[in-house]
Amino acid sequence: TISISFAQNDVVELFLVKDDQVVYTHKQGKHSLEQEHRYPVFPLALERGHTYELFFRIHTPNQHKIVPIELLSHDQFRSKITIDQMLWGVYYGGLLMLLLYALMLYVSRRDSNIIAYALYICSAIFFELIWGGHLHQFFKTDWAYWFNKHTGLAFSFTAVTAGCFTLRYLEAASY
């Protein structure tokens, strides 16, 4: 299994060459419905005793190319993806707990500043769903595709809500 563990590459094409012939080609990336994981993963079965060449074509305009290529056995990949998903679950679970706490605090105190904090947490969750590749992995819809193409919009929304949170809840303007 070959993985490129960066979810923001638009198009990743793999070409497997054996004896000067392309024997396998596959295309994935954040704009591909073929991608099953949050980043491009190419399962390969290579025959022993043969020499192979791997070629990649990475297309991501207006962004630096980050291409962490890993060659793993099937068991190594399953172990890696299991740990990866568990850690992301802890991360998202923690953010959801903070969101629930903020909403319960709002219900008990009726302080509108807490809404700024809750909106910031929601925007951070939404941005990370896009940036981390989970929106594309779990929701293969037109709107998920649109948000993948406009990651900067989600980042801007997160920055605005962080600013509102800082000014309102932390009362940064008075310092």
Side-chain angles (χ1 to χ4, degrees), residues 55-91:
F55 295 94
F56 291 94
R57 180 182 167 272
I58 314 294
H59 179 70
T60 307
N62 304 321
Q63 184 175 323
H64 295 290
K65 275 70 169 171
I66 300 174
V67 189
I69 299 172
E70 292 180 294
L71 181 59
L72 304 165
S73 71
H74 181 72
D75 291 339
Q76 288 173 322
F77 174 71
R78 284 287 154 213
S79 176
K80 178 185 179 203
I81 205 80
T82 299
I83 291 168
D84 181 69
Q85 293 293 5
M86 286 180 10
L87 291 174
W88 278 108
V90 169
Y91 176 76

PDB file of all heavy atoms in Angstrom, residues 55-91:
ATOM      1  N   PHE A  55       5.855   6.390 -10.464  1.00  0.00           N
ATOM      2  CA  PHE A  55       5.843   7.792 -10.844  1.00  0.00           C
ATOM      3  C   PHE A  55       4.555   8.411 -10.320  1.00  0.00           C
ATOM      4  O   PHE A  55       3.488   7.796 -10.360  1.00  0.00           O
ATOM      5  CB  PHE A  55       5.907   7.953 -12.375  1.00  0.00           C
ATOM      6  CG  PHE A  55       7.192   7.464 -12.966  1.00  0.00           C
ATOM      7  CD1 PHE A  55       7.293   6.169 -13.449  1.00  0.00           C
ATOM      8  CD2 PHE A  55       8.309   8.287 -13.024  1.00  0.00           C
ATOM      9  CE1 PHE A  55       8.476   5.710 -13.993  1.00  0.00           C
ATOM     10  CE2 PHE A  55       9.497   7.835 -13.558  1.00  0.00           C
ATOM     11  CZ  PHE A  55       9.579   6.544 -14.046  1.00  0.00           C
ATOM     12  N   PHE A  56       4.679   9.631  -9.829  1.00  0.00           N
ATOM     13  CA  PHE A  56       3.520  10.355  -9.322  1.00  0.00           C
ATOM     14  C   PHE A  56       3.401  11.663 -10.070  1.00  0.00           C
ATOM     15  O   PHE A  56       4.394  12.302 -10.416  1.00  0.00           O
ATOM     16  CB  PHE A  56       3.668  10.681  -7.831  1.00  0.00           C
ATOM     17  CG  PHE A  56       3.605   9.471  -6.953  1.00  0.00           C
ATOM     18  CD1 PHE A  56       4.767   8.827  -6.564  1.00  0.00           C
ATOM     19  CD2 PHE A  56       2.386   8.985  -6.517  1.00  0.00           C
ATOM     20  CE1 PHE A  56       4.716   7.714  -5.755  1.00  0.00           C
ATOM     21  CE2 PHE A  56       2.326   7.869  -5.711  1.00  0.00           C
ATOM     22  CZ  PHE A  56       3.488   7.230  -5.323  1.00  0.00           C
ATOM     23  N   ARG A  57       2.175  12.059 -10.317  1.00  0.00           N
ATOM     24  CA  ARG A  57       1.878  13.390 -10.831  1.00  0.00           C
ATOM     25  C   ARG A  57       0.961  14.043  -9.797  1.00  0.00           C
ATOM     26  O   ARG A  57      -0.128  13.564  -9.523  1.00  0.00           O
ATOM     27  CB  ARG A  57       1.157  13.325 -12.172  1.00  0.00           C
ATOM     28  CG  ARG A  57       0.833  14.686 -12.727  1.00  0.00           C
ATOM     29  CD  ARG A  57       0.059  14.586 -14.059  1.00  0.00           C
ATOM     30  NE  ARG A  57      -0.482  15.857 -14.402  1.00  0.00           N
ATOM     31  CZ  ARG A  57      -1.672  16.320 -14.014  1.00  0.00           C
ATOM     32  NH1 ARG A  57      -2.442  15.591 -13.257  1.00  0.00           N
ATOM     33  NH2 ARG A  57      -2.090  17.512 -14.381  1.00  0.00           N
ATOM     34  N   ILE A  58       1.454  15.128  -9.211  1.00  0.00           N
ATOM     35  CA  ILE A  58       0.708  15.848  -8.187  1.00  0.00           C
ATOM     36  C   ILE A  58       0.330  17.203  -8.767  1.00  0.00           C
ATOM     37  O   ILE A  58       1.194  17.953  -9.220  1.00  0.00           O
ATOM     38  CB  ILE A  58       1.554  16.062  -6.906  1.00  0.00           C
ATOM     39  CG1 ILE A  58       2.271  14.786  -6.472  1.00  0.00           C
ATOM     40  CG2 ILE A  58       0.709  16.655  -5.794  1.00  0.00           C
ATOM     41  CD1 ILE A  58       1.407  13.672  -6.023  1.00  0.00           C
ATOM     42  N   HIS A  59      -0.964  17.504  -8.756  1.00  0.00           N
ATOM     43  CA  HIS A  59      -1.428  18.790  -9.268  1.00  0.00           C
ATOM     44  C   HIS A  59      -2.210  19.503  -8.168  1.00  0.00           C
ATOM     45  O   HIS A  59      -3.281  19.049  -7.770  1.00  0.00           O
ATOM     46  CB  HIS A  59      -2.312  18.590 -10.502  1.00  0.00           C
ATOM     47  CG  HIS A  59      -2.847  19.872 -11.059  1.00  0.00           C
ATOM     48  ND1 HIS A  59      -2.031  20.786 -11.684  1.00  0.00           N
ATOM     49  CD2 HIS A  59      -4.087  20.403 -11.061  1.00  0.00           C
ATOM     50  CE1 HIS A  59      -2.754  21.824 -12.061  1.00  0.00           C
ATOM     51  NE2 HIS A  59      -4.012  21.612 -11.686  1.00  0.00           N
ATOM     52  N   THR A  60      -1.630  20.578  -7.672  1.00  0.00           N
ATOM     53  CA  THR A  60      -2.271  21.396  -6.656  1.00  0.00           C
ATOM     54  C   THR A  60      -1.878  22.844  -6.932  1.00  0.00           C
ATOM     55  O   THR A  60      -0.855  23.307  -6.447  1.00  0.00           O
ATOM     56  CB  THR A  60      -1.828  20.978  -5.236  1.00  0.00           C
ATOM     57  OG1 THR A  60      -2.047  19.584  -5.081  1.00  0.00           O
ATOM     58  CG2 THR A  60      -2.607  21.716  -4.174  1.00  0.00           C
ATOM     59  N   PRO A  61      -2.671  23.557  -7.731  1.00  0.00           N
ATOM     60  CA  PRO A  61      -2.298  24.937  -8.045  1.00  0.00           C
ATOM     61  C   PRO A  61      -2.429  25.853  -6.835  1.00  0.00           C
ATOM     62  O   PRO A  61      -3.234  25.614  -5.939  1.00  0.00           O
ATOM     63  CB  PRO A  61      -3.304  25.324  -9.144  1.00  0.00           C
ATOM     64  CG  PRO A  61      -4.457  24.406  -8.949  1.00  0.00           C
ATOM     65  CD  PRO A  61      -3.922  23.147  -8.339  1.00  0.00           C
ATOM     66  N   ASN A  62      -1.600  26.885  -6.822  1.00  0.00           N
ATOM     67  CA  ASN A  62      -1.643  27.929  -5.791  1.00  0.00           C
ATOM     68  C   ASN A  62      -1.371  27.424  -4.385  1.00  0.00           C
ATOM     69  O   ASN A  62      -1.853  27.989  -3.415  1.00  0.00           O
ATOM     70  CB  ASN A  62      -2.991  28.662  -5.821  1.00  0.00           C
ATOM     71  CG  ASN A  62      -3.301  29.236  -7.171  1.00  0.00           C
ATOM     72  OD1 ASN A  62      -2.411  29.739  -7.852  1.00  0.00           O
ATOM     73  ND2 ASN A  62      -4.549  29.127  -7.595  1.00  0.00           N
ATOM     74  N   GLN A  63      -0.626  26.349  -4.256  1.00  0.00           N
ATOM     75  CA  GLN A  63      -0.311  25.814  -2.934  1.00  0.00           C
ATOM     76  C   GLN A  63       0.988  25.022  -3.042  1.00  0.00           C
ATOM     77  O   GLN A  63       1.261  24.400  -4.056  1.00  0.00           O
ATOM     78  CB  GLN A  63      -1.449  24.900  -2.466  1.00  0.00           C
ATOM     79  CG  GLN A  63      -1.275  24.375  -1.072  1.00  0.00           C
ATOM     80  CD  GLN A  63      -2.502  23.571  -0.651  1.00  0.00           C
ATOM     81  OE1 GLN A  63      -3.615  23.909  -0.981  1.00  0.00           O
ATOM     82  NE2 GLN A  63      -2.281  22.512   0.057  1.00  0.00           N
ATOM     83  N   HIS A  64       1.746  25.022  -1.967  1.00  0.00           N
ATOM     84  CA  HIS A  64       2.952  24.211  -1.936  1.00  0.00           C
ATOM     85  C   HIS A  64       2.566  22.745  -1.971  1.00  0.00           C
ATOM     86  O   HIS A  64       1.578  22.331  -1.372  1.00  0.00           O
ATOM     87  CB  HIS A  64       3.774  24.496  -0.677  1.00  0.00           C
ATOM     88  CG  HIS A  64       4.320  25.888  -0.641  1.00  0.00           C
ATOM     89  ND1 HIS A  64       5.321  26.309  -1.480  1.00  0.00           N
ATOM     90  CD2 HIS A  64       3.977  26.960   0.108  1.00  0.00           C
ATOM     91  CE1 HIS A  64       5.589  27.571  -1.239  1.00  0.00           C
ATOM     92  NE2 HIS A  64       4.785  27.995  -0.276  1.00  0.00           N
ATOM     93  N   LYS A  65       3.350  21.971  -2.682  1.00  0.00           N
ATOM     94  CA  LYS A  65       3.086  20.533  -2.761  1.00  0.00           C
ATOM     95  C   LYS A  65       3.723  19.844  -1.563  1.00  0.00           C
ATOM     96  O   LYS A  65       4.920  19.949  -1.339  1.00  0.00           O
ATOM     97  CB  LYS A  65       3.674  19.923  -4.045  1.00  0.00           C
ATOM     98  CG  LYS A  65       2.797  20.017  -5.262  1.00  0.00           C
ATOM     99  CD  LYS A  65       2.660  21.378  -5.755  1.00  0.00           C
ATOM    100  CE  LYS A  65       2.010  21.509  -7.104  1.00  0.00           C
ATOM    101  NZ  LYS A  65       1.729  22.879  -7.398  1.00  0.00           N
ATOM    102  N   ILE A  66       2.911  19.153  -0.794  1.00  0.00           N
ATOM    103  CA  ILE A  66       3.402  18.351   0.318  1.00  0.00           C
ATOM    104  C   ILE A  66       3.091  16.912  -0.041  1.00  0.00           C
ATOM    105  O   ILE A  66       1.930  16.551  -0.209  1.00  0.00           O
ATOM    106  CB  ILE A  66       2.725  18.761   1.644  1.00  0.00           C
ATOM    107  CG1 ILE A  66       3.028  20.233   1.931  1.00  0.00           C
ATOM    108  CG2 ILE A  66       3.189  17.858   2.776  1.00  0.00           C
ATOM    109  CD1 ILE A  66       2.308  20.783   3.133  1.00  0.00           C
ATOM    110  N   VAL A  67       4.136  16.105  -0.183  1.00  0.00           N
ATOM    111  CA  VAL A  67       3.955  14.749  -0.694  1.00  0.00           C
ATOM    112  C   VAL A  67       4.711  13.747   0.187  1.00  0.00           C
ATOM    113  O   VAL A  67       5.755  13.234  -0.194  1.00  0.00           O
ATOM    114  CB  VAL A  67       4.433  14.651  -2.164  1.00  0.00           C
ATOM    115  CG1 VAL A  67       4.039  13.320  -2.769  1.00  0.00           C
ATOM    116  CG2 VAL A  67       3.873  15.784  -3.000  1.00  0.00           C
ATOM    117  N   PRO A  68       4.163  13.446   1.370  1.00  0.00           N
ATOM    118  CA  PRO A  68       4.807  12.443   2.230  1.00  0.00           C
ATOM    119  C   PRO A  68       4.435  11.024   1.766  1.00  0.00           C
ATOM    120  O   PRO A  68       3.394  10.503   2.120  1.00  0.00           O
ATOM    121  CB  PRO A  68       4.238  12.750   3.610  1.00  0.00           C
ATOM    122  CG  PRO A  68       2.914  13.379   3.338  1.00  0.00           C
ATOM    123  CD  PRO A  68       3.041  14.077   2.020  1.00  0.00           C
ATOM    124  N   ILE A  69       5.288  10.424   0.957  1.00  0.00           N
ATOM    125  CA  ILE A  69       5.009   9.101   0.377  1.00  0.00           C
ATOM    126  C   ILE A  69       5.476   8.022   1.338  1.00  0.00           C
ATOM    127  O   ILE A  69       6.596   8.051   1.829  1.00  0.00           O
ATOM    128  CB  ILE A  69       5.725   8.944  -0.979  1.00  0.00           C
ATOM    129  CG1 ILE A  69       5.224   9.997  -1.967  1.00  0.00           C
ATOM    130  CG2 ILE A  69       5.520   7.539  -1.531  1.00  0.00           C
ATOM    131  CD1 ILE A  69       5.992  10.045  -3.259  1.00  0.00           C
ATOM    132  N   GLU A  70       4.568   7.061   1.595  1.00  0.00           N
ATOM    133  CA  GLU A  70       4.897   5.926   2.451  1.00  0.00           C
ATOM    134  C   GLU A  70       4.551   4.638   1.715  1.00  0.00           C
ATOM    135  O   GLU A  70       3.476   4.531   1.122  1.00  0.00           O
ATOM    136  CB  GLU A  70       4.094   5.965   3.751  1.00  0.00           C
ATOM    137  CG  GLU A  70       4.457   7.094   4.667  1.00  0.00           C
ATOM    138  CD  GLU A  70       3.627   7.060   5.930  1.00  0.00           C
ATOM    139  OE1 GLU A  70       2.410   7.254   5.833  1.00  0.00           O
ATOM    140  OE2 GLU A  70       4.222   6.825   7.005  1.00  0.00           O
ATOM    141  N   LEU A  71       5.441   3.673   1.796  1.00  0.00           N
ATOM    142  CA  LEU A  71       5.208   2.340   1.254  1.00  0.00           C
ATOM    143  C   LEU A  71       5.055   1.403   2.444  1.00  0.00           C
ATOM    144  O   LEU A  71       5.988   1.226   3.222  1.00  0.00           O
ATOM    145  CB  LEU A  71       6.384   1.908   0.361  1.00  0.00           C
ATOM    146  CG  LEU A  71       6.281   0.543  -0.291  1.00  0.00           C
ATOM    147  CD1 LEU A  71       5.056   0.449  -1.174  1.00  0.00           C
ATOM    148  CD2 LEU A  71       7.537   0.264  -1.098  1.00  0.00           C
ATOM    149  N   LEU A  72       3.855   0.840   2.602  1.00  0.00           N
ATOM    150  CA  LEU A  72       3.530   0.037   3.778  1.00  0.00           C
ATOM    151  C   LEU A  72       2.922  -1.298   3.366  1.00  0.00           C
ATOM    152  O   LEU A  72       2.254  -1.383   2.331  1.00  0.00           O
ATOM    153  CB  LEU A  72       2.507   0.774   4.657  1.00  0.00           C
ATOM    154  CG  LEU A  72       2.865   2.176   5.132  1.00  0.00           C
ATOM    155  CD1 LEU A  72       1.638   2.888   5.657  1.00  0.00           C
ATOM    156  CD2 LEU A  72       3.931   2.107   6.198  1.00  0.00           C
ATOM    157  N   SER A  73       3.125  -2.302   4.216  1.00  0.00           N
ATOM    158  CA  SER A  73       2.405  -3.556   4.004  1.00  0.00           C
ATOM    159  C   SER A  73       0.936  -3.316   4.365  1.00  0.00           C
ATOM    160  O   SER A  73       0.594  -2.314   5.007  1.00  0.00           O
ATOM    161  CB  SER A  73       2.989  -4.664   4.874  1.00  0.00           C
ATOM    162  OG  SER A  73       2.664  -4.449   6.233  1.00  0.00           O
ATOM    163  N   HIS A  74       0.077  -4.240   3.979  1.00  0.00           N
ATOM    164  CA  HIS A  74      -1.345  -4.087   4.267  1.00  0.00           C
ATOM    165  C   HIS A  74      -1.576  -3.983   5.787  1.00  0.00           C
ATOM    166  O   HIS A  74      -2.354  -3.142   6.246  1.00  0.00           O
ATOM    167  CB  HIS A  74      -2.138  -5.256   3.679  1.00  0.00           C
ATOM    168  CG  HIS A  74      -3.602  -5.157   3.908  1.00  0.00           C
ATOM    169  ND1 HIS A  74      -4.398  -4.241   3.242  1.00  0.00           N
ATOM    170  CD2 HIS A  74      -4.427  -5.832   4.753  1.00  0.00           C
ATOM    171  CE1 HIS A  74      -5.640  -4.358   3.661  1.00  0.00           C
ATOM    172  NE2 HIS A  74      -5.692  -5.324   4.565  1.00  0.00           N
ATOM    173  N   ASP A  75      -0.908  -4.827   6.566  1.00  0.00           N
ATOM    174  CA  ASP A  75      -1.075  -4.797   8.024  1.00  0.00           C
ATOM    175  C   ASP A  75      -0.551  -3.496   8.629  1.00  0.00           C
ATOM    176  O   ASP A  75      -1.166  -2.937   9.541  1.00  0.00           O
ATOM    177  CB  ASP A  75      -0.374  -5.995   8.667  1.00  0.00           C
ATOM    178  CG  ASP A  75      -1.071  -7.310   8.347  1.00  0.00           C
ATOM    179  OD1 ASP A  75      -2.270  -7.286   7.987  1.00  0.00           O
ATOM    180  OD2 ASP A  75      -0.414  -8.363   8.451  1.00  0.00           O
ATOM    181  N   GLN A  76       0.590  -3.016   8.135  1.00  0.00           N
ATOM    182  CA  GLN A  76       1.124  -1.750   8.627  1.00  0.00           C
ATOM    183  C   GLN A  76       0.169  -0.601   8.328  1.00  0.00           C
ATOM    184  O   GLN A  76      -0.055   0.273   9.161  1.00  0.00           O
ATOM    185  CB  GLN A  76       2.483  -1.456   7.987  1.00  0.00           C
ATOM    186  CG  GLN A  76       3.610  -2.321   8.462  1.00  0.00           C
ATOM    187  CD  GLN A  76       4.871  -2.082   7.649  1.00  0.00           C
ATOM    188  OE1 GLN A  76       4.826  -1.875   6.429  1.00  0.00           O
ATOM    189  NE2 GLN A  76       6.013  -2.112   8.321  1.00  0.00           N
ATOM    190  N   PHE A  77      -0.401  -0.624   7.130  1.00  0.00           N
ATOM    191  CA  PHE A  77      -1.331   0.439   6.749  1.00  0.00           C
ATOM    192  C   PHE A  77      -2.575   0.394   7.622  1.00  0.00           C
ATOM    193  O   PHE A  77      -3.033   1.431   8.113  1.00  0.00           O
ATOM    194  CB  PHE A  77      -1.721   0.332   5.270  1.00  0.00           C
ATOM    195  CG  PHE A  77      -2.788   1.311   4.888  1.00  0.00           C
ATOM    196  CD1 PHE A  77      -2.511   2.662   4.812  1.00  0.00           C
ATOM    197  CD2 PHE A  77      -4.084   0.884   4.655  1.00  0.00           C
ATOM    198  CE1 PHE A  77      -3.499   3.578   4.500  1.00  0.00           C
ATOM    199  CE2 PHE A  77      -5.084   1.784   4.338  1.00  0.00           C
ATOM    200  CZ  PHE A  77      -4.789   3.131   4.249  1.00  0.00           C
ATOM    201  N   ARG A  78      -3.142  -0.774   7.842  1.00  0.00           N
ATOM    202  CA  ARG A  78      -4.336  -0.905   8.692  1.00  0.00           C
ATOM    203  C   ARG A  78      -4.052  -0.403  10.106  1.00  0.00           C
ATOM    204  O   ARG A  78      -4.871   0.277  10.713  1.00  0.00           O
ATOM    205  CB  ARG A  78      -4.824  -2.359   8.740  1.00  0.00           C
ATOM    206  CG  ARG A  78      -5.533  -2.800   7.524  1.00  0.00           C
ATOM    207  CD  ARG A  78      -6.916  -2.163   7.463  1.00  0.00           C
ATOM    208  NE  ARG A  78      -7.315  -2.084   6.082  1.00  0.00           N
ATOM    209  CZ  ARG A  78      -8.053  -1.122   5.566  1.00  0.00           C
ATOM    210  NH1 ARG A  78      -8.474  -0.147   6.305  1.00  0.00           N
ATOM    211  NH2 ARG A  78      -8.372  -1.122   4.309  1.00  0.00           N
ATOM    212  N   SER A  79      -2.886  -0.739  10.630  1.00  0.00           N
ATOM    213  CA  SER A  79      -2.508  -0.272  11.964  1.00  0.00           C
ATOM    214  C   SER A  79      -2.395   1.252  11.980  1.00  0.00           C
ATOM    215  O   SER A  79      -2.897   1.919  12.889  1.00  0.00           O
ATOM    216  CB  SER A  79      -1.191  -0.920  12.379  1.00  0.00           C
ATOM    217  OG  SER A  79      -0.763  -0.421  13.612  1.00  0.00           O
ATOM    218  N   LYS A  80      -1.740   1.805  10.966  1.00  0.00           N
ATOM    219  CA  LYS A  80      -1.559   3.258  10.885  1.00  0.00           C
ATOM    220  C   LYS A  80      -2.895   3.975  10.766  1.00  0.00           C
ATOM    221  O   LYS A  80      -3.145   4.958  11.461  1.00  0.00           O
ATOM    222  CB  LYS A  80      -0.679   3.599   9.688  1.00  0.00           C
ATOM    223  CG  LYS A  80      -0.496   5.084   9.519  1.00  0.00           C
ATOM    224  CD  LYS A  80       0.259   5.441   8.273  1.00  0.00           C
ATOM    225  CE  LYS A  80       0.331   6.945   8.233  1.00  0.00           C
ATOM    226  NZ  LYS A  80       0.522   7.555   7.032  1.00  0.00           N
ATOM    227  N   ILE A  81      -3.778   3.477   9.911  1.00  0.00           N
ATOM    228  CA  ILE A  81      -5.052   4.151   9.689  1.00  0.00           C
ATOM    229  C   ILE A  81      -5.951   4.039  10.919  1.00  0.00           C
ATOM    230  O   ILE A  81      -6.707   4.948  11.245  1.00  0.00           O
ATOM    231  CB  ILE A  81      -5.744   3.648   8.403  1.00  0.00           C
ATOM    232  CG1 ILE A  81      -6.688   4.707   7.828  1.00  0.00           C
ATOM    233  CG2 ILE A  81      -6.529   2.390   8.613  1.00  0.00           C
ATOM    234  CD1 ILE A  81      -6.031   5.765   7.056  1.00  0.00           C
ATOM    235  N   THR A  82      -5.847   2.917  11.649  1.00  0.00           N
ATOM    236  CA  THR A  82      -6.632   2.741  12.868  1.00  0.00           C
ATOM    237  C   THR A  82      -6.208   3.750  13.932  1.00  0.00           C
ATOM    238  O   THR A  82      -7.049   4.420  14.552  1.00  0.00           O
ATOM    239  CB  THR A  82      -6.484   1.303  13.410  1.00  0.00           C
ATOM    240  OG1 THR A  82      -6.965   0.399  12.419  1.00  0.00           O
ATOM    241  CG2 THR A  82      -7.241   1.108  14.699  1.00  0.00           C
ATOM    242  N   ILE A  83      -4.905   3.895  14.128  1.00  0.00           N
ATOM    243  CA  ILE A  83      -4.398   4.874  15.105  1.00  0.00           C
ATOM    244  C   ILE A  83      -4.767   6.288  14.677  1.00  0.00           C
ATOM    245  O   ILE A  83      -5.199   7.109  15.494  1.00  0.00           O
ATOM    246  CB  ILE A  83      -2.878   4.708  15.290  1.00  0.00           C
ATOM    247  CG1 ILE A  83      -2.583   3.389  15.995  1.00  0.00           C
ATOM    248  CG2 ILE A  83      -2.285   5.882  16.063  1.00  0.00           C
ATOM    249  CD1 ILE A  83      -1.124   2.986  15.986  1.00  0.00           C
ATOM    250  N   ASP A  84      -4.627   6.581  13.389  1.00  0.00           N
ATOM    251  CA  ASP A  84      -4.962   7.894  12.844  1.00  0.00           C
ATOM    252  C   ASP A  84      -6.430   8.229  13.128  1.00  0.00           C
ATOM    253  O   ASP A  84      -6.741   9.316  13.623  1.00  0.00           O
ATOM    254  CB  ASP A  84      -4.683   7.896  11.337  1.00  0.00           C
ATOM    255  CG  ASP A  84      -4.977   9.234  10.694  1.00  0.00           C
ATOM    256  OD1 ASP A  84      -4.240  10.200  10.971  1.00  0.00           O
ATOM    257  OD2 ASP A  84      -5.942   9.310   9.895  1.00  0.00           O
ATOM    258  N   GLN A  85      -7.321   7.294  12.846  1.00  0.00           N
ATOM    259  CA  GLN A  85      -8.748   7.554  13.049  1.00  0.00           C
ATOM    260  C   GLN A  85      -9.092   7.694  14.533  1.00  0.00           C
ATOM    261  O   GLN A  85      -9.939   8.496  14.909  1.00  0.00           O
ATOM    262  CB  GLN A  85      -9.598   6.447  12.404  1.00  0.00           C
ATOM    263  CG  GLN A  85      -9.509   6.416  10.895  1.00  0.00           C
ATOM    264  CD  GLN A  85     -10.127   7.639  10.220  1.00  0.00           C
ATOM    265  OE1 GLN A  85     -10.573   8.600  10.849  1.00  0.00           O
ATOM    266  NE2 GLN A  85     -10.159   7.617   8.907  1.00  0.00           N
ATOM    267  N   MET A  86      -8.434   6.900  15.372  1.00  0.00           N
ATOM    268  CA  MET A  86      -8.690   7.016  16.811  1.00  0.00           C
ATOM    269  C   MET A  86      -8.246   8.380  17.341  1.00  0.00           C
ATOM    270  O   MET A  86      -8.958   9.011  18.131  1.00  0.00           O
ATOM    271  CB  MET A  86      -8.000   5.883  17.567  1.00  0.00           C
ATOM    272  CG  MET A  86      -8.705   4.567  17.385  1.00  0.00           C
ATOM    273  SD  MET A  86      -8.027   3.113  18.208  1.00  0.00           S
ATOM    274  CE  MET A  86      -6.796   3.665  19.293  1.00  0.00           C
ATOM    275  N   LEU A  87      -7.083   8.846  16.907  1.00  0.00           N
ATOM    276  CA  LEU A  87      -6.604  10.162  17.351  1.00  0.00           C
ATOM    277  C   LEU A  87      -7.512  11.287  16.855  1.00  0.00           C
ATOM    278  O   LEU A  87      -7.796  12.241  17.586  1.00  0.00           O
ATOM    279  CB  LEU A  87      -5.162  10.380  16.911  1.00  0.00           C
ATOM    280  CG  LEU A  87      -4.125   9.511  17.609  1.00  0.00           C
ATOM    281  CD1 LEU A  87      -2.746   9.709  16.992  1.00  0.00           C
ATOM    282  CD2 LEU A  87      -4.092   9.792  19.095  1.00  0.00           C
ATOM    283  N   TRP A  88      -7.970  11.185  15.608  1.00  0.00           N
ATOM    284  CA  TRP A  88      -8.912  12.188  15.104  1.00  0.00           C
ATOM    285  C   TRP A  88     -10.215  12.128  15.883  1.00  0.00           C
ATOM    286  O   TRP A  88     -10.843  13.165  16.136  1.00  0.00           O
ATOM    287  CB  TRP A  88      -9.174  11.998  13.607  1.00  0.00           C
ATOM    288  CG  TRP A  88      -8.109  12.603  12.763  1.00  0.00           C
ATOM    289  CD1 TRP A  88      -7.158  11.935  12.030  1.00  0.00           C
ATOM    290  CD2 TRP A  88      -7.855  13.986  12.553  1.00  0.00           C
ATOM    291  NE1 TRP A  88      -6.344  12.835  11.386  1.00  0.00           N
ATOM    292  CE2 TRP A  88      -6.755  14.100  11.693  1.00  0.00           C
ATOM    293  CE3 TRP A  88      -8.463  15.152  13.010  1.00  0.00           C
ATOM    294  CZ2 TRP A  88      -6.245  15.322  11.278  1.00  0.00           C
ATOM    295  CZ3 TRP A  88      -7.956  16.379  12.589  1.00  0.00           C
ATOM    296  CH2 TRP A  88      -6.861  16.445  11.737  1.00  0.00           C
ATOM    297  N   GLY A  89     -10.650  10.937  16.271  1.00  0.00           N
ATOM    298  CA  GLY A  89     -11.856  10.803  17.077  1.00  0.00           C
ATOM    299  C   GLY A  89     -11.708  11.498  18.421  1.00  0.00           C
ATOM    300  O   GLY A  89     -12.638  12.166  18.896  1.00  0.00           O
ATOM    301  N   VAL A  90     -10.552  11.367  19.046  1.00  0.00           N
ATOM    302  CA  VAL A  90     -10.292  12.050  20.314  1.00  0.00           C
ATOM    303  C   VAL A  90     -10.314  13.570  20.107  1.00  0.00           C
ATOM    304  O   VAL A  90     -10.907  14.318  20.898  1.00  0.00           O
ATOM    305  CB  VAL A  90      -8.942  11.589  20.914  1.00  0.00           C
ATOM    306  CG1 VAL A  90      -8.521  12.481  22.073  1.00  0.00           C
ATOM    307  CG2 VAL A  90      -9.023  10.139  21.350  1.00  0.00           C
ATOM    308  N   TYR A  91      -9.702  14.021  19.013  1.00  0.00           N
ATOM    309  CA  TYR A  91      -9.662  15.451  18.710  1.00  0.00           C
ATOM    310  C   TYR A  91     -11.069  16.017  18.507  1.00  0.00           C
ATOM    311  O   TYR A  91     -11.457  17.002  19.146  1.00  0.00           O
ATOM    312  CB  TYR A  91      -8.800  15.678  17.463  1.00  0.00           C
ATOM    313  CG  TYR A  91      -8.755  17.103  16.992  1.00  0.00           C
ATOM    314  CD1 TYR A  91      -7.991  18.051  17.661  1.00  0.00           C
ATOM    315  CD2 TYR A  91      -9.478  17.509  15.878  1.00  0.00           C
ATOM    316  CE1 TYR A  91      -7.941  19.371  17.229  1.00  0.00           C
ATOM    317  CE2 TYR A  91      -9.438  18.828  15.438  1.00  0.00           C
ATOM    318  CZ  TYR A  91      -8.671  19.743  16.118  1.00  0.00           C
ATOM    319  OH  TYR A  91      -8.638  21.040  15.689  1.00  0.00           O
TER     320      TYR A  91
END
